Amino acid sequence: MHLAKANGKWVLPDNGDFAVNEIQVSDFISKVLKIDTSRLVANTAASHTRLKVDDKDFVRRIDLTGGDGKTQSILIGTSPNVRATNVRSTNKDAVYLTGDVTGSDINTDIASWINATYFTANTPDIKALAFANVKGKFDFTRVVTDTWTLTGLAKGET
């Protein structure tokens, strides 16, 4: 998934520049930028595959591109426990254990980054509902609090 800043706003450039949740992106970037490198786990390329931070075998990959066009990539690997995750910068062999970011922080589905709510309404205020498609039209009317009737029912239908 690709997020980018366009005209000062975070968007999905591969999806028509659809707007994403600015606060969520900002919080995520803050987490990534504060990854703690004080807990060294391994310092050899031989350990990368086992910890799932190999260039070709990883749990998640984050590519951060700055305003200067330079990209820094971070590989997120296995989590030996719920509060720690193995991470590695792609240009170094050192692997660190961090609690700052986990694989589950990196959602790869679009719906988790956008406001997917299309419509909301205060349910008790709704007195009627109609919807239609190529198969037909349905009109419902609320008779009492939790009881609705469908307009156009034949005799004996409920």
Side-chain angles (χ1 to χ4, degrees):
M1 192 175 70
H2 182 200
L3 302 171
K5 203 162 209 180
N7 300 320
K9 300 282 186 187
W10 283 100
V11 298
L12 294 162
D14 300 336
N15 297 88
D17 285 346
F18 195 88
V20 297
N21 183 321
E22 299 270 331
I23 294 169
Q24 185 177 355
V25 175
S26 180
D27 288 350
F28 175 70
I29 291 171
S30 293
K31 282 182 177 184
V32 171
L33 293 178
K34 74 174 190 176
I35 289 176
D36 182 9
T37 56
S38 65
R39 296 167 63 188
L40 182 66
V41 174
N43 203 18
T44 64
S47 61
H48 294 174
T49 301
R50 179 175 46 85
L51 300 173
K52 288 278 203 190
V53 290
D54 183 75
D55 290 339
K56 293 182 173 110
D57 186 16
F58 49 85
V59 174
R60 297 278 195 266
R61 178 186 178 113
I62 304 166
D63 295 321
L64 296 171
T65 305
D68 59 1
K70 293 182 181 177
T71 299
Q72 182 176 355
S73 299
I74 300 164
L75 301 174
I76 308 298
T78 56
S79 295
N81 64 55
V82 293
R83 296 179 192 220
T85 302
N86 295 305
V87 297
R88 179 178 77 85
S89 178
T90 55
N91 60 354
K92 297 182 178 151
D93 282 335
V95 180
Y96 299 96
L97 194 61
T98 184
D100 297 318
V101 67
T102 66
S104 62
D105 289 330
I106 309 163
N107 295 312
T108 57
D109 61 304
I110 292 172
S112 63
W113 292 93
I114 64 171
N115 179 0
T117 303
Y118 182 72
F119 173 79
T120 60
N122 187 6
T123 307
D125 294 340
I126 300 172
K127 304 296 180 217
L129 173 67
F131 59 93
N133 65 18
V134 294
K135 300 279 186 179
K137 182 177 180 192
F138 296 93
D139 289 304
F140 295 93
T141 306
R142 185 188 305 246
V143 233
V144 288
T145 305
D146 289 322
T147 306
W148 293 80
T149 58
L150 176 62
T151 305
L153 286 177
K155 188 174 181 174
E157 290 183 320
T158 356

